[in-house]
Amino acid sequence: MYFPYIRGRQFDLLALRDLVEKNLLHDHIVPIIEPVSLSSTLVSTITQFNARKHPLAIIRNPEVGSFSEEFGAFDGATGNVSRKQDFAAEMLQPFMLQALIMNNDLPGVLSAVTESGIVKQDLVVVLNDRDMLKPYQSLFAPDAPRFTVIPDEGVFRRNITTNKVLLTDSFQRQERNADYSQKEDEFFSDAHLYYRSEGYVGFADYSIIGDSYNAAGFAPYAVAIHIVYPAIDKSLRVRHFVSDSNQDINNPAQKFYQALKKMVEWYENERVVPLTLGLKILLDHYQAQTYPGLGSLKKLTIMHHLELMGKLLDGGLFV
């Protein structure tokens, strides 16, 4: 199983919603969303997953963004009341998994979740702080969660032996988009090759976004397109396509087209990656010379990656 860890910003959520709506998200892909706000897009995404009966995990105690404040720490004190009611109702549906980050606040949140009728054995727990190992064992030793997501570190591997999911940060994030041109092609991941042999029930990553979170947006000097593709050795690699006119923030549409032109030439010449919906839409933008905006670019590259992972799980990616 594959568990993409997605921070719940608008275009990240739209990528998930579009894929599940079009039945392009593999049954064994279970996204874990760490919501950054109680947005209408978050609620509509959850609603679409429920409509398609596709499993989805939502972190109830996120460590980024304003979700906890908007939801009022589960007590109805703040935020959009109607949206909170819709969120709470959708979260009670059978295909929704309650996920928790193992931190100092977890005991109180866990009490609130279990009071709603959720048992510990149905939870997804994200455990990435070694100081939380003993509290985790105290809370869950008799009742292991359905899945425990852990980093690739020995102390976690030694202590978590049941229903563990391997979490890696596969994307080598650069400070500036222009810096991706220094290494246009690089290794992305091979966790899918060995996770089972090392006792994991699944693997997870942060897609082509990476673990870092920045709430503030900014106008980039350069536009970069990141495309994951299968390598001959059955690992996954990522190719970066970077714009040329990177001296200022002017004309992002031109920058997008410069990067996209490089991507199209690579795709047509190399033919090393299957055509996904996200990739097809990018190719269509090239043909029509249209600019969807940088948010939509992010959405399309996430869509490509997740659909590609579905092909991998089906066994049809490497032939």
Side-chain angles (χ1 to χ4, degrees), residues 60-61 63 73-74 99-116 118 120 123 125-127 131-140:
R60 300 299 298 268
N61 60 335
E63 295 183 330
F74 307 102
L100 301 172
I101 296 175
M102 188 68 218
N103 56 27
N104 289 322
D105 297 329
L106 185 133
V109 179
L110 180 60
S111 296
V113 170
T114 54
E115 284 174 7
S116 68
I118 305 298
K120 292 181 180 179
L123 295 173
V125 176
V126 180
L127 174 60
D131 290 337
M132 289 291 108
L133 273 168
K134 287 186 178 179
Y136 169 90
Q137 291 167 336
S138 175
L139 283 170
F140 295 104

Side-chain angles (χ1 to χ4, degrees), residues 3-7 30-34 56-59 99 124 126 149:
F3 298 80
Y5 192 105
I6 304 291
R7 301 267 166 55
V30 181
I32 300 173
I33 296 178
E34 182 178 4
L56 176 68
I58 304 292
I59 292 176
V124 177
V126 180
V149 183

Side-chain angles (χ1 to χ4, degrees), residues 256-257 260 280-292 296 300:
F256 167 73
Y257 195 77
L260 184 60
K280 180 183 182 302
I281 295 173
L282 284 171
L283 295 172
D284 290 344
H285 281 300
Y286 178 78
Q287 293 299 326
Q289 297 192 31
T290 48
Y291 172 55
S296 291
L300 294 171

Side-chain angles (χ1 to χ4, degrees), residues 233-270:
D233 63 0
K234 297 189 177 181
S235 68
L236 295 174
R237 298 185 66 82
V238 60
R239 184 88 175 190
H240 310 291
F241 308 93
V242 182
S243 57
D244 299 312
S245 56
N246 304 328
Q247 294 76 30
D248 53 45
I249 63 173
N250 295 329
N251 205 341
Q254 180 188 57
K255 298 176 190 291
F256 167 73
Y257 195 77
Q258 290 169 351
L260 184 60
K261 184 175 186 292
K262 296 176 182 179
M263 188 210 80
V264 172
E265 291 174 350
W266 171 80
Y267 171 77
E268 293 181 343
N269 292 331
E270 300 296 331

Side-chain angles (χ1 to χ4, degrees), residues 10-294:
Q10 181 181 5
F11 288 97
D12 308 56
L13 295 171
L14 290 174
L16 293 174
R17 194 178 74 185
D18 284 5
L19 285 175
V20 77
E21 184 178 22
K22 294 174 174 62
N23 289 320
L24 292 175
L25 195 63
H26 194 280
D27 290 343
H28 290 167
I29 294 180
V30 181
I32 300 173
I33 296 178
E34 182 178 4
V36 302
S37 67
L38 186 57
S39 66
S40 59
T41 307
L42 173 66
V43 176
S44 66
T45 300
I46 297 172
T47 300
Q48 188 59 238
F49 271 76
N50 279 327
R52 296 292 179 176
K53 299 182 179 180
H54 193 109
L56 176 68
I58 304 292
I59 292 176
R60 300 299 298 268
N61 60 335
E63 295 183 330
V64 298
S66 60
F67 175 87
S68 296
E69 290 78 10
E70 293 176 50
F71 198 72
F74 307 102
D75 63 7
T78 60
N80 185 309
V81 174
S82 175
R83 193 172 296 161
K84 281 192 290 188
Q85 292 172 341
D86 292 341
F87 173 84
E90 292 293 341
M91 286 303 299
L92 293 176
Q93 299 303 308
F95 287 90
M96 288 298 107
L97 299 175
Q98 310 281 339
L100 301 172
I101 296 175
M102 188 68 218
N103 56 27
N104 289 322
D105 297 329
L106 185 133
V109 179
L110 180 60
S111 296
V113 170
T114 54
E115 284 174 7
S116 68
I118 305 298
V119 298
K120 292 181 180 179
Q121 297 94 323
D122 287 337
L123 295 173
V124 177
V125 176
V126 180
L127 174 60
N128 53 20
D129 181 348
R130 64 182 300 151
D131 290 337
M132 289 291 108
L133 273 168
K134 287 186 178 179
Y136 169 90
Q137 291 167 336
S138 175
L139 283 170
F140 295 104
D143 304 299
R146 181 180 296 190
F147 302 111
T148 300
V149 183
I150 61 173
D152 190 13
E153 299 176 19
V155 65
F156 294 98
R157 290 194 297 268
R158 290 191 297 271
N159 286 276
I160 307 301
T161 58
T162 303
N163 300 337
K164 60 184 180 180
V165 173
L166 173 66
L167 175 61
T168 58
D169 189 358
S170 301
F171 187 72
Q172 302 301 311
R173 190 174 181 87
Q174 301 294 332
E175 287 294 321
R176 306 176 306 162
N177 281 345
D179 294 339
Y180 290 107
S181 62
Q182 297 176 11
K183 193 172 184 181
E184 294 181 342
D185 192 288
E186 59 185 335
F187 172 81
F188 183 76
S189 176
D190 60 0
H192 56 282
L193 296 176
Y194 65 82
Y195 77 95
R196 286 194 187 93
S197 65
E198 295 191 354
Y200 295 94
V201 297
F203 63 101
D205 60 31
Y206 298 92
S207 186
I208 48 87
I209 305 301
D211 182 25
S212 62
Y213 172 76
N214 186 352
F218 61 93
Y221 278 70
V223 168
I225 301 173
H226 314 290
I227 299 296
V228 176
Y229 71 94
I232 294 176
D233 63 0
K234 297 189 177 181
S235 68
L236 295 174
R237 298 185 66 82
V238 60
R239 184 88 175 190
H240 310 291
F241 308 93
V242 182
S243 57
D244 299 312
S245 56
N246 304 328
Q247 294 76 30
D248 53 45
I249 63 173
N250 295 329
N251 205 341
Q254 180 188 57
K255 298 176 190 291
F256 167 73
Y257 195 77
Q258 290 169 351
L260 184 60
K261 184 175 186 292
K262 296 176 182 179
M263 188 210 80
V264 172
E265 291 174 350
W266 171 80
Y267 171 77
E268 293 181 343
N269 292 331
E270 300 296 331
R271 297 291 180 178
V272 295
V273 61
L275 185 64
T276 62
L277 177 60
L279 190 55
K280 180 183 182 302
I281 295 173
L282 284 171
L283 295 172
D284 290 344
H285 281 300
Y286 178 78
Q287 293 299 326
Q289 297 192 31
T290 48
Y291 172 55
L294 296 181

